[in-house]
């Protein structure tokens, strides 16, 4: 079989990162290996995101630029997958005739067949069929190969789609109704990942709280409980948890499960009840703050991050002040803020009271500035402490290659349980034969803090660090269905 080169460009959320891995796995038996060089590729797939106008534009501008490459290499096959593909279908090919195929979010499992068809017949193809549910809900099981991402941390999609109807959001349209995977398959997938060296997994879903409810399989806390039992898995994270559904049992899991990292992403979107209602978020700021209090009382050092939308239709300066006030109350460890953007099929697109670009920009900057203040404050509070880090690899700076450095000075990178990036070097007591490796737990003394990361020196590493992964009290019989 010929070896062919596959280049994947992934835009969007972690779900797309996971799906792109599935694309590569599915195409491997057809002779495709991944390349990081666009110019050498035989097949280019762009995995797109439609969450905001800007993300969609990013996809179209990259796809547009591929026309030059196609002119140089007429045999090149170009495909478009993901959320813009599902949303736009054949309109993409009409707009950009140099593209060969469009496959939507339901067609991940059909990708190998589509590519085979194109290779044989060389005619364009569109597959955005959603009538048979998601093909590829259960990922393809393949033996790990050298080309797999060798990171000790990985994403695992546990459910797809979304049954909520937030009025600004395109996801329910492009990803369809919510479906949860079979828990036994999820456990098998994680066990296999752990066998290949993975030590931390992040479970993905638009609203993990409702995992298994429709299917009557098991609740999300129960799933966490079972994953916790997997030997050699050191850390578990999850995202996203919708505040309206964040249950007492899930909050309790933060004190009951040692492997569960002390971080929760809890998107608030707005601090104004009026706006929350018009967004159809189904919680009030008071209910949200009550859950934050409960999280803090169960797990005092939990890190909380959030998403905020600025300039939702009808947002007044009073509404905006309430958002700032809420940020001041929660003191988020990290926040992501976005200017509201009209999306196809989203109800808010037809709402009156659109906020001007200028005002959206001003509000965005104010929120980002405030967010940075708290992120820096939280990071500063860790200076002088010793944190347990899972080593992910060399730091970004190191990867850019500081050649000629002694091995002892190497900068490594990892995260705290609270999801803070820590760059570190070996401390004085360390010798060159004290090996630091990916996937290892290490104790690092924090010396410096900035808004985005921490830096420090290793005080204890490798075998010397004993990590308590034992489950504490969290009786499964207390878990609600
Ligand atoms: N399921 C997750 C969010 C997925 S989308 C949840 O419910 O929280 C990620 C973030 O994009 C959202 O939290 C929201 O802040 C932002 N977003 C979604 N639609 C948007 C839009 N139309 N304009 C601006 N930001 C948007
Ligand atoms: Fe979109 Fe709301 Fe579903 Fe999140 S919960 S994906 S914001 S509709
Ligand atoms: Fe974007 Fe689709 Fe994810 S719209 S945020 S890639 S679910």
């Amino acid at each position: 079989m010929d070896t062919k080169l596959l280049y994947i460009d992934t835009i969007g959320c972690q779900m797309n990162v996971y799906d792109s891995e599935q694309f590569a796995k599915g195409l491997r038996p057809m002779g495709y290996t991944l390349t990081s060089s666009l110019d050498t590729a035989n097949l280019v797939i762009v995995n797109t995101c439609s969450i905001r106008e800007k993300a969609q534009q990013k996809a179209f501008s990259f796809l547009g630029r591929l026309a030059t490459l196609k002119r140089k290499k007429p045999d090149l096959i170009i495909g478009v997958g993901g959320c813009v593909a599902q949303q736009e279908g054949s309109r993409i090919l009409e707009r950009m005739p140099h593209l060969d195929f469009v496959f939507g979010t339901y067609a991940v499992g059909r990708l190998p067949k589509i590519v085979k068809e194109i290779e044989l017949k060389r005619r364009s193809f569109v597959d955005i069929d959603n009538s048979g549910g998601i093909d590829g809900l259960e990922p393809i099981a393949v033996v790990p190969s050298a080309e797999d991402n060798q990171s000790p941390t990985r994403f695992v999609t546990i459910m797809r789609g979304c049954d909520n109807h937030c009025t600004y959001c395109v996801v329910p349209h492009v990803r369809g109704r919510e479906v949860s995977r079979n828990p036994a398959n999820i456990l098998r997938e994680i066990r296999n990942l752990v066998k290949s060296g993975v030590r931390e997994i992040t479970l993905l879903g638009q609203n993990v709280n409702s995992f298994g409810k429709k299917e009557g399989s098991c609740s999300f806390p129960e799933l966490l409980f079972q994953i916790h039992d997997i030997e050699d898995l050191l850390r578990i994270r999850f995202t996203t948890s919708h505040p309206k559904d964040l249950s007492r049992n899930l909050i309790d899991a933060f004190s009951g499960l040692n492997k569960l990292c002390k971080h929760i992403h809890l998107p608030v979107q707005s601090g104004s009840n009026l706006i929350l209602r018009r967004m159809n978020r189904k919680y009030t700021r008071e209910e949200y703050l009550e859950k934050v209090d409960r999280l803090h009382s169960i797990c005092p050092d939990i890190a909380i991050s959030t998403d905020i939308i600025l300039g939702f239709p009808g947002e007044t300066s009073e509404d905006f002040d309430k958002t700032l006030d809420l940020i001041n109350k929660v003191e988020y460890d990290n926040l992501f803020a976005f200017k509201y953007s009209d999306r196809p099929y989203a109800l808010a697109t037809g709402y009156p009271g659109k906020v001007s670009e200028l005002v959206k920009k001003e509000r965005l900057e104010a929120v980002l500035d405030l967010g940075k203040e708290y992120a820096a404050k939280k990071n500063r509070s860790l200076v002088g402490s010793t944190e347990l880090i899972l080593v992910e690899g060399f730091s970004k700076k190191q990867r850019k290659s500081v050649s000629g450095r002694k091995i002892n000075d190497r900068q490594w990178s990892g995260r705290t349980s609270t999801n803070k990036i820590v760059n570190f070097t070996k401390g004085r007591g360390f010798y060159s034969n004290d090996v630091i490796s990916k996937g290892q737990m290490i104790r690092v003394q924090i010396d410096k803090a900035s808004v985005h990361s921490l830096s420090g020196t290793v005080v204890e590493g490798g075998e010397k660090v004993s990590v308590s992964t034992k489950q504490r009290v969290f009786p499964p019989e207390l878990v609600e269905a």
Side-chain angles (χ1 to χ4, degrees), residues 328 368-378 380 451:
N328 284 322
L368 289 175
D369 285 348
L370 189 58
K372 275 186 204 156
E373 268 178 42
Y374 286 114
K377 180 178 162 193
K378 297 269 162 144
R380 269 199 313 271
V451 178

Side-chain angles (χ1 to χ4, degrees), residues 51-52 162 164 166 168-171 205-207 240-243 265 267 269 281 307-309 336 338-343 346:
I51 200 78
R52 286 168 289 276
C162 182
N164 291 312
C166 304
Y168 51 80
C169 189
V170 74
V171 172
Q206 297 296 351
N207 183 15
T240 303
S241 177
H242 193 303
H265 185 62
Q269 315 298 359
R281 288 292 284 180
D307 291 344
I308 289 172
I309 297 179
F336 302 88
F338 313 101
K339 285 189 281 180
Y340 167 82
S341 155
D342 277 342
R343 301 313 296 132

Side-chain angles (χ1 to χ4, degrees), residues 26-42:
L27 293 169
R28 200 184 293 158
M30 290 170 60
Y32 283 99
T33 37
L34 279 173
T35 174
S36 54
S37 130
L38 181 59
D39 292 335
T40 59
N42 305 95

